Structures are given as C-alpha cells and as structure tokens.
Amino acid sequence: MSFEHVLPWLALLISGISLFVSGYSIYRDRSRVKVFCKVVYDCSRDQSENRDNPPPFLRIYVVNTGKRPIFLSNLCGYISRKSAQSWVLKDEPIAFDENGIPSVFSSGFVHDVGVRLNDGEIYEYRIKHDDYTKLYSIENDGFMFRKYYLTDVLGKKFFVKGSKVGIKKLSEYQA
C-alpha cells in the first residue's frame, strides 16, 4: 500500500472524528431546563391568620442546567389538549411618554415580558391559594387547571413536575 492510497482514508477518518466531536459539543451545550414545584405553607408572624392552619402557596422553580441561556415567556394553565390559558411571567413595565402620560402600547419584545435564565440560574414563581385567576380558567367556565407548563420564546413546552398535586392542595385549603 502506498501513501497515495492511505491518505484519502486517513482524511476521511479525521473528518469523521471531527464531526463526532462537533456533534457531541452541540448536544452538551444545548439549553436544558428543569421545572418543578413545591407547596409551602406561609407561617409568617401575621396575627390576622391562624398559625395552626397556615395558607399554602405554590412555588414553581425553573433551573437552567444547560450551557446556553434560555428565554421563558409564559406560564400556562393546562385544562385539556385543546384548551389552556397563559399569562406572562414578568409584569410589563409601564412606560411614560414625554408628557408623563402612561403608554398603552408595549413593545412586545421578549426582554420586556420574558425571563432570561443563564447557565445555572434559578427563577421562582409563586401562586397563592387565593389567586383564583391562576387556579381556575376564566375562559372555560371556571374549570380548574389540571397542571401547569412554561413556554419559551420558541414555543417549546416545559411541564411543571408535581403541579397536579400542588393545584389540588391549593384548592383544598379552607381557612
């Protein structure tokens, strides 16, 4: 075997190894999101509430475990495959014009209404037991949400682990 016959095969082998390494680094660097929730009981020192039966609230945690940043835009309440209701994660800031009048038009950019999570960052969203707009659907005759999910700016859904149990505990609470 001469060098002229081995050289193309060697180049092909090096190209294959390079393709494998590039594919692995793209797979490893993608954005990964862990979403889970916990029911927490508010045992604050407020004298108006009963300390024996504190009100619960749902903490939804979003953790970016990937290398790339991700923009989350909406938290959605899921009823069925055909019906869901969503609301933005971050309230839109009120913009004022030069006369001091609040602007009714928002830019709609993800930087205004979305949440950016970099590598290893954690975002927490809270739902109180008496926040009925986030427990029951206004658009679908007051049906209770079955579970929650978050969406990013590309429309990918991240279902909240444990949200079924959390919604049930919030709805069962009686003061």
Side-chain angles (χ1 to χ4, degrees):
M1 295 198 53
S2 67
F3 182 69
E4 296 161 350
H5 295 320
V6 174
L7 185 62
W9 289 105
L10 185 63
L12 189 62
L13 178 69
I14 291 173
S15 297
I17 292 171
S18 174
L19 178 67
F20 176 75
V21 168
S22 296
Y24 178 72
S25 66
I26 289 171
Y27 172 76
R28 191 189 63 196
D29 289 346
R30 75 186 190 283
S31 61
R32 288 175 288 219
V33 177
K34 304 283 185 198
V35 184
F36 59 96
C37 68
K38 291 182 180 180
V39 176
V40 180
Y41 294 93
D42 187 13
C43 297
S44 62
R45 298 290 180 200
D46 191 6
Q47 299 297 327
S48 65
E49 296 177 0
N50 187 1
R51 290 187 191 167
D52 298 330
N53 188 17
F57 61 92
L58 191 68
R59 283 185 177 175
I60 298 174
Y61 295 102
V62 184
V63 182
N64 183 6
T65 59
K67 298 281 184 191
R68 299 195 185 266
I70 187 167
F71 287 96
L72 299 171
S73 59
N74 293 329
L75 178 66
C76 303
Y78 178 85
I79 296 172
S80 67
R81 281 190 284 160
K82 294 185 179 180
S83 71
Q85 186 175 343
S86 66
W87 51 91
V88 293
L89 288 175
K90 187 168 70 172
D91 294 330
E92 295 182 32
I94 298 173
F96 295 96
D97 63 3
E98 62 274 354
N99 298 327
I101 300 172
S103 174
V104 294
F105 297 105
S106 65
S107 67
F109 291 125
V110 72
H111 302 291
D112 294 338
V113 296
V115 174
R116 177 186 172 137
L117 291 178
N118 290 321
D119 179 24
E121 286 186 344
I122 300 171
Y123 177 73
E124 178 184 331
Y125 191 85
R126 294 181 180 192
I127 298 175
K128 295 181 180 180
H129 74 284
D130 57 355
D131 193 358
Y132 299 115
T133 59
K134 295 188 176 69
L135 289 175
Y136 299 98
S137 174
I138 298 169
E139 300 168 357
N140 295 321
D141 299 329
F143 284 115
M144 188 183 329
F145 293 124
R146 290 176 52 199
K147 56 185 169 182
Y148 294 120
Y149 64 89
L150 286 116
T151 58
D152 64 356
V153 293
L154 301 176
K156 187 174 179 184
K157 296 178 182 178
F158 302 99
F159 283 93
V160 179
K161 185 177 180 181
S163 63
K164 283 183 182 181
V165 176
I167 293 170
K168 185 178 177 184
K169 286 185 181 180
L170 289 181
S171 65
E172 290 174 350
Y173 175 76
Q174 295 180 358

Coordinates of all heavy atoms in Angstrom, one line a residue, residues 101-164:
I101 N -47.7 60.8 30.4 CA -48.9 60.0 30.2 C -48.4 58.6 30.0 O -47.5 58.3 29.2 CB -49.7 60.5 29.0 CG1 -50.1 62.0 29.3 CG2 -50.9 59.6 28.8 CD1 -50.8 62.6 28.1
P102 N -49.0 57.6 30.7 CA -48.6 56.2 30.5 C -48.9 55.7 29.1 O -50.0 56.0 28.5 CB -49.4 55.4 31.6 CG -50.4 56.4 32.1 CD -50.1 57.7 31.7
S103 N -48.0 55.0 28.5 CA -48.2 54.5 27.2 C -49.0 53.2 27.3 O -48.7 52.3 28.1 CB -46.8 54.2 26.6 OG -47.0 53.6 25.3
V104 N -50.0 53.0 26.4 CA -50.8 51.8 26.4 C -50.2 50.7 25.5 O -50.7 49.6 25.4 CB -52.2 52.1 26.0 CG1 -52.9 52.9 27.1 CG2 -52.3 52.8 24.7
F105 N -49.2 51.1 24.7 CA -48.6 50.2 23.7 C -47.3 49.7 24.3 O -46.5 50.5 24.6 CB -48.4 50.8 22.4 CG -49.7 51.2 21.7 CD1 -50.0 52.6 21.6 CD2 -50.6 50.3 21.2 CE1 -51.2 53.0 21.1 CE2 -51.7 50.7 20.6 CZ -52.1 52.0 20.5
S106 N -47.1 48.4 24.3 CA -45.9 47.9 24.8 C -45.1 47.4 23.5 O -45.7 47.1 22.5 CB -46.0 46.7 25.8 OG -46.7 45.6 25.1
S107 N -43.8 47.2 23.7 CA -43.0 46.8 22.6 C -43.2 45.3 22.2 O -43.1 44.9 21.1 CB -41.5 47.0 22.9 OG -41.1 46.2 23.9
G108 N -43.6 44.5 23.2 CA -43.8 43.1 23.0 C -42.5 42.3 22.8 O -42.6 41.1 22.5
F109 N -41.4 42.9 23.0 CA -40.1 42.2 22.9 C -40.0 41.2 24.1 O -40.5 41.5 25.2 CB -38.9 43.1 22.9 CG -38.8 43.9 21.6 CD1 -38.8 45.3 21.6 CD2 -38.8 43.3 20.4 CE1 -38.7 46.0 20.5 CE2 -38.7 44.0 19.2 CZ -38.7 45.4 19.3
V110 N -39.3 40.2 23.9 CA -39.1 39.2 25.0 C -38.4 39.8 26.2 O -38.5 39.3 27.3 CB -38.5 37.9 24.5 CG1 -37.0 38.1 24.1 CG2 -38.6 36.8 25.4
H111 N -37.5 40.8 25.9 CA -36.8 41.4 27.0 C -37.7 42.1 28.0 O -37.4 42.3 29.1 CB -35.7 42.3 26.5 CG -34.8 41.6 25.5 ND1 -33.9 40.7 26.0 CD2 -34.6 41.7 24.2 CE1 -33.2 40.3 25.0 NE2 -33.6 40.9 23.9
D112 N -38.9 42.6 27.5 CA -39.8 43.3 28.4 C -40.7 42.3 29.2 O -41.0 42.6 30.3 CB -40.7 44.2 27.5 CG -39.9 45.3 26.9 OD1 -38.8 45.6 27.4 OD2 -40.4 45.8 25.8
V113 N -41.1 41.2 28.6 CA -42.1 40.4 29.2 C -41.5 39.0 29.6 O -42.2 38.3 30.3 CB -43.4 40.2 28.4 CG1 -44.1 41.5 28.2 CG2 -43.0 39.6 27.0
G114 N -40.4 38.6 29.1 CA -39.8 37.3 29.4 C -38.8 37.3 30.5 O -38.4 38.4 31.0
V115 N -38.4 36.1 30.8 CA -37.4 35.9 31.8 C -36.2 35.2 31.2 O -36.3 34.2 30.6 CB -37.9 35.1 33.0 CG1 -36.8 34.8 34.0 CG2 -39.1 35.8 33.7
R116 N -35.0 35.8 31.3 CA -33.8 35.2 30.8 C -33.1 34.4 31.9 O -32.8 35.0 32.9 CB -32.9 36.3 30.2 CG -31.6 35.7 29.7 CD -30.6 36.7 29.3 NE -29.3 36.1 29.0 CZ -28.6 36.4 27.9 NH1 -29.0 37.4 27.1 NH2 -27.4 35.8 27.7
L117 N -32.8 33.2 31.6 CA -32.0 32.4 32.5 C -30.7 31.9 31.9 O -30.7 31.3 30.9 CB -32.8 31.1 32.9 CG -34.0 31.3 33.7 CD1 -34.7 29.9 34.0 CD2 -33.7 31.9 35.1
N118 N -29.6 32.3 32.5 CA -28.3 31.9 32.1 C -27.9 30.6 32.7 O -28.7 30.0 33.4 CB -27.2 33.0 32.4 CG -27.4 34.2 31.6 OD1 -27.7 34.2 30.4 ND2 -27.2 35.4 32.2
D119 N -26.7 30.1 32.5 CA -26.3 28.8 33.0 C -26.3 28.8 34.5 O -25.7 29.6 35.2 CB -24.8 28.6 32.5 CG -24.3 27.3 33.0 OD1 -25.0 26.4 33.3 OD2 -23.0 27.2 33.0
G120 N -27.1 27.9 35.1 CA -27.2 27.7 36.5 C -28.1 28.6 37.2 O -28.2 28.6 38.5
E121 N -28.8 29.5 36.6 CA -29.7 30.5 37.3 C -31.0 29.8 37.6 O -31.5 28.9 36.9 CB -29.9 31.7 36.4 CG -28.7 32.6 36.3 CD -29.0 33.9 35.6 OE1 -30.1 34.0 34.9 OE2 -28.3 34.8 35.8
I122 N -31.6 30.3 38.7 CA -32.9 29.8 39.2 C -33.9 30.9 39.1 O -33.6 32.0 39.6 CB -32.8 29.2 40.6 CG1 -31.7 28.1 40.6 CG2 -34.1 28.8 41.1 CD1 -31.4 27.7 42.0
Y123 N -35.1 30.6 38.7 CA -36.3 31.6 38.7 C -37.4 30.9 39.5 O -37.7 29.8 39.4 CB -36.7 31.9 37.3 CG -37.9 32.8 37.2 CD1 -37.8 34.1 37.5 CD2 -39.2 32.3 36.9 CE1 -38.9 35.0 37.5 CE2 -40.3 33.1 36.9 CZ -40.1 34.5 37.2 OH -41.2 35.3 37.1
E124 N -38.0 31.8 40.4 CA -39.1 31.3 41.2 C -40.4 32.1 40.9 O -40.3 33.3 40.9 CB -38.7 31.4 42.7 CG -39.8 31.0 43.6 CD -39.4 31.2 45.1 OE1 -38.2 31.2 45.4 OE2 -40.3 31.5 45.9
Y125 N -41.5 31.4 40.8 CA -42.8 32.0 40.6 C -43.7 31.5 41.6 O -43.7 30.3 41.9 CB -43.3 31.6 39.2 CG -44.5 32.4 38.8 CD1 -44.3 33.7 38.2 CD2 -45.8 32.0 39.0 CE1 -45.5 34.4 37.8 CE2 -46.9 32.7 38.6 CZ -46.7 33.9 38.0 OH -47.8 34.7 37.6
R126 N -44.5 32.3 42.3 CA -45.4 31.9 43.4 C -46.8 32.1 43.0 O -47.2 33.1 42.4 CB -45.1 32.8 44.6 CG -43.7 32.5 45.2 CD -43.5 33.3 46.4 NE -42.2 33.1 46.9 CZ -41.8 33.5 48.1 NH1 -42.6 34.1 48.9 NH2 -40.6 33.2 48.5
I127 N -47.6 31.1 43.4 CA -49.1 31.2 43.2 C -49.7 31.0 44.6 O -49.5 30.0 45.2 CB -49.6 30.1 42.2 CG1 -48.9 30.3 40.8 CG2 -51.1 30.1 42.1 CD1 -49.2 29.2 39.8
K128 N -50.5 32.0 45.0 CA -51.1 31.9 46.3 C -52.4 31.1 46.2 O -53.0 30.9 45.2 CB -51.4 33.3 46.8 CG -50.2 34.1 47.1 CD -50.6 35.5 47.6 CE -49.3 36.3 47.8 NZ -49.7 37.6 48.4
H129 N -52.9 30.7 47.4 CA -54.1 29.9 47.4 C -55.4 30.6 47.0 O -56.3 30.1 46.6 CB -54.3 29.3 48.8 CG -54.7 30.3 49.8 ND1 -53.9 31.2 50.4 CD2 -55.9 30.5 50.4 CE1 -54.5 31.9 51.2 NE2 -55.8 31.5 51.3
D130 N -55.3 31.9 47.2 CA -56.5 32.8 46.8 C -56.3 33.5 45.5 O -57.1 34.4 45.2 CB -56.8 33.8 48.0 CG -55.6 34.6 48.3 OD1 -54.5 34.4 47.7 OD2 -55.8 35.5 49.1
D131 N -55.4 33.1 44.7 CA -55.2 33.7 43.4 C -56.0 32.9 42.4 O -55.5 32.0 41.7 CB -53.7 33.7 43.0 CG -53.4 34.6 41.8 OD1 -54.4 35.2 41.2 OD2 -52.3 34.8 41.4
Y132 N -57.3 33.2 42.3 CA -58.2 32.3 41.5 C -58.0 32.4 40.0 O -58.4 31.5 39.3 CB -59.6 32.7 41.9 CG -59.9 32.4 43.3 CD1 -60.2 33.5 44.2 CD2 -59.8 31.1 43.9 CE1 -60.5 33.2 45.5 CE2 -60.1 30.9 45.2 CZ -60.4 31.9 46.0 OH -60.6 31.7 47.4
T133 N -57.4 33.5 39.5 CA -57.1 33.6 38.1 C -56.0 32.6 37.6 O -56.0 32.3 36.5 CB -56.7 35.0 37.7 OG1 -55.5 35.4 38.4 CG2 -57.8 36.0 38.0
K134 N -55.2 32.1 38.6 CA -54.2 31.2 38.2 C -54.5 29.8 38.7 O -53.8 28.8 38.5 CB -52.9 31.6 38.8 CG -52.4 32.9 38.2 CD -51.0 33.3 38.6 CE -50.6 34.5 37.8 NZ -51.2 35.7 38.2
L135 N -55.7 29.6 39.3 CA -56.2 28.2 39.7 C -57.3 27.8 38.8 O -57.5 26.6 38.6 CB -56.6 28.2 41.1 CG -55.5 28.3 42.2 CD1 -56.0 28.4 43.6 CD2 -54.5 27.1 42.0
Y136 N -58.1 28.8 38.4 CA -59.3 28.4 37.6 C -59.3 29.2 36.3 O -58.9 30.3 36.2 CB -60.6 28.8 38.3 CG -60.8 28.1 39.6 CD1 -60.4 28.6 40.8 CD2 -61.3 26.8 39.7 CE1 -60.5 28.0 42.0 CE2 -61.4 26.1 40.9 CZ -61.0 26.7 42.0 OH -61.1 26.0 43.2
S137 N -59.8 28.6 35.2 CA -59.8 29.2 33.9 C -61.0 30.1 33.8 O -62.2 29.7 34.0 CB -59.9 28.1 32.8 OG -60.1 28.7 31.6
I138 N -60.8 31.4 33.4 CA -61.8 32.3 33.2 C -62.5 32.1 31.9 O -63.7 32.2 31.8 CB -61.2 33.8 33.3 CG1 -60.6 34.0 34.7 CG2 -62.3 34.8 33.0 CD1 -59.8 35.3 34.8
E139 N -61.7 31.7 30.9 CA -62.3 31.5 29.6 C -63.1 30.2 29.4 O -63.9 30.1 28.5 CB -61.1 31.5 28.6 CG -60.3 32.8 28.6 CD -59.0 32.6 27.8 OE1 -58.7 31.5 27.3 OE2 -58.3 33.6 27.7
N140 N -62.9 29.2 30.2 CA -63.6 27.9 30.1 C -64.5 27.6 31.2 O -64.5 26.6 31.8 CB -62.5 26.8 30.0 CG -61.7 27.0 28.7 OD1 -62.3 27.3 27.6 ND2 -60.5 26.7 28.8
D141 N -65.4 28.5 31.6 CA -66.5 28.3 32.6 C -65.9 28.0 33.9 O -66.6 27.2 34.7 CB -67.5 27.3 32.1 CG -68.2 27.7 30.8 OD1 -68.4 28.9 30.6 OD2 -68.5 26.8 30.0
G142 N -64.8 28.4 34.3 CA -64.3 28.2 35.7 C -63.7 26.8 35.9 O -63.7 26.4 37.1
F143 N -63.3 26.1 34.9 CA -62.7 24.8 35.2 C -61.4 25.0 35.9 O -60.6 25.9 35.6 CB -62.5 24.0 33.9 CG -63.7 23.4 33.3 CD1 -64.2 23.9 32.1 CD2 -64.4 22.4 34.0 CE1 -65.4 23.3 31.6 CE2 -65.5 21.8 33.5 CZ -66.0 22.3 32.3
M144 N -61.0 24.1 36.8 CA -59.8 24.1 37.5 C -58.7 23.6 36.5 O -58.9 22.7 35.8 CB -59.8 23.3 38.7 CG -58.5 23.5 39.6 SD -58.4 22.5 41.0 CE -60.0 22.2 41.6
F145 N -57.5 24.3 36.6 CA -56.4 23.8 35.8 C -55.9 22.4 36.3 O -55.9 22.2 37.5 CB -55.2 24.8 35.9 CG -55.5 26.1 35.2 CD1 -55.4 27.3 35.9 CD2 -55.9 26.2 33.9 CE1 -55.6 28.5 35.4 CE2 -56.2 27.4 33.3 CZ -56.0 28.6 34.1
R146 N -55.5 21.6 35.3 CA -55.1 20.2 35.7 C -53.6 20.3 36.0 O -53.1 19.5 36.9 CB -55.3 19.3 34.6 CG -56.8 19.0 34.4 CD -57.1 18.1 33.2 NE -56.3 16.9 33.2 CZ -56.2 16.2 32.1 NH1 -56.7 16.5 31.0 NH2 -55.5 15.1 32.2
K147 N -52.8 21.0 35.3 CA -51.4 21.2 35.6 C -50.9 22.5 34.9 O -51.6 23.1 34.2 CB -50.6 20.0 35.1 CG -50.8 19.6 33.6 CD -50.1 18.3 33.3 CE -50.4 17.8 32.0 NZ -49.8 16.5 31.7
Y148 N -49.6 22.8 35.2 CA -49.0 24.0 34.6 C -47.9 23.6 33.7 O -47.2 22.5 33.9 CB -48.4 24.9 35.7 CG -49.5 25.5 36.6 CD1 -49.5 25.2 38.0 CD2 -50.5 26.3 36.1 CE1 -50.4 25.8 38.8 CE2 -51.4 26.9 37.0 CZ -51.4 26.6 38.3 OH -52.3 27.2 39.1
Y149 N -47.6 24.5 32.7 CA -46.3 24.3 32.0 C -45.9 25.7 31.6 O -46.6 26.7 31.6 CB -46.5 23.5 30.7 CG -47.5 24.0 29.7 CD1 -47.1 24.8 28.7 CD2 -48.9 23.6 29.7 CE1 -48.0 25.3 27.7 CE2 -49.8 24.1 28.8 CZ -49.3 24.9 27.8 OH -50.2 25.4 26.8
L150 N -44.6 25.8 31.3 CA -44.0 27.1 30.9 C -43.6 27.0 29.4 O -43.4 25.9 28.9 CB -42.7 27.3 31.6 CG -42.9 27.8 33.1 CD1 -42.3 26.8 34.0 CD2 -42.3 29.1 33.3
T151 N -43.6 28.1 28.7 CA -43.2 28.1 27.3 C -42.0 29.1 27.1 O -42.0 30.1 27.8 CB -44.4 28.5 26.4 OG1 -44.8 29.8 26.8 CG2 -45.5 27.6 26.4
D152 N -41.2 28.7 26.2 CA -40.1 29.7 25.9 C -40.5 30.4 24.7 O -41.6 30.3 24.1 CB -38.8 28.9 25.7 CG -38.7 28.0 24.6 OD1 -39.8 27.8 23.9 OD2 -37.7 27.4 24.3
V153 N -39.6 31.3 24.2 CA -39.9 32.2 23.1 C -40.1 31.4 21.8 O -40.7 31.9 20.8 CB -38.9 33.3 22.9 CG1 -38.9 34.2 24.1 CG2 -37.5 32.7 22.7
L154 N -39.6 30.2 21.7 CA -39.7 29.3 20.5 C -41.0 28.5 20.5 O -41.3 27.8 19.6 CB -38.5 28.4 20.3 CG -37.1 29.2 20.2 CD1 -36.0 28.2 20.2 CD2 -37.1 30.1 19.0
G155 N -41.7 28.5 21.7 CA -42.9 27.7 21.8 C -42.8 26.4 22.4 O -43.7 25.6 22.5
K156 N -41.6 26.0 22.8 CA -41.3 24.7 23.5 C -42.0 24.7 24.9 O -41.8 25.7 25.6 CB -39.8 24.5 23.6 CG -39.5 23.1 24.0 CD -38.0 22.8 24.0 CE -37.7 21.4 24.5 NZ -36.3 21.2 24.5
K157 N -42.6 23.6 25.2 CA -43.3 23.5 26.5 C -42.5 22.7 27.5 O -41.8 21.7 27.2 CB -44.6 22.7 26.3 CG -45.6 23.4 25.4 CD -46.9 22.6 25.3 CE -47.8 23.3 24.3 NZ -49.1 22.5 24.1
F158 N -42.4 23.2 28.7 CA -41.8 22.6 29.8 C -42.8 22.4 30.9 O -43.2 23.3 31.6 CB -40.6 23.5 30.4 CG -39.6 23.8 29.3 CD1 -39.6 25.1 28.7 CD2 -38.6 22.9 29.0 CE1 -38.7 25.4 27.7 CE2 -37.6 23.2 28.0 CZ -37.7 24.5 27.4
F159 N -43.3 21.2 31.1 CA -44.3 20.9 32.1 C -43.7 20.9 33.5 O -42.6 20.5 33.7 CB -45.0 19.5 31.8 CG -45.9 19.6 30.7 CD1 -45.5 19.2 29.4 CD2 -47.2 19.9 30.9 CE1 -46.4 19.3 28.3 CE2 -48.2 20.0 29.8 CZ -47.7 19.7 28.6
V160 N -44.5 21.5 34.4 CA -44.1 21.6 35.8 C -44.3 20.3 36.5 O -45.5 19.9 36.7 CB -44.8 22.8 36.5 CG1 -44.4 22.9 37.9 CG2 -44.6 24.1 35.7
K161 N -43.2 19.7 37.0 CA -43.3 18.4 37.7 C -44.0 18.7 39.1 O -43.5 19.5 39.8 CB -41.9 17.9 37.9 CG -41.9 16.5 38.5 CD -40.5 16.0 38.5 CE -40.4 14.6 39.1 NZ -39.0 14.1 39.2
G162 N -45.0 17.9 39.4 CA -45.7 18.0 40.7 C -46.8 19.1 40.7 O -47.3 19.3 41.8
S163 N -47.1 19.6 39.6 CA -48.1 20.7 39.6 C -49.6 20.2 39.9 O -50.4 20.9 40.4 CB -48.1 21.5 38.3 OG -48.4 20.8 37.2
K164 N -49.8 18.9 39.5 CA -51.2 18.4 39.7 C -51.5 18.3 41.2 O -52.5 18.7 41.7 CB -51.3 17.0 39.1 CG -51.5 17.0 37.6 CD -51.7 15.5 37.2 CE -51.8 15.4 35.7 NZ -52.1 14.1 35.2

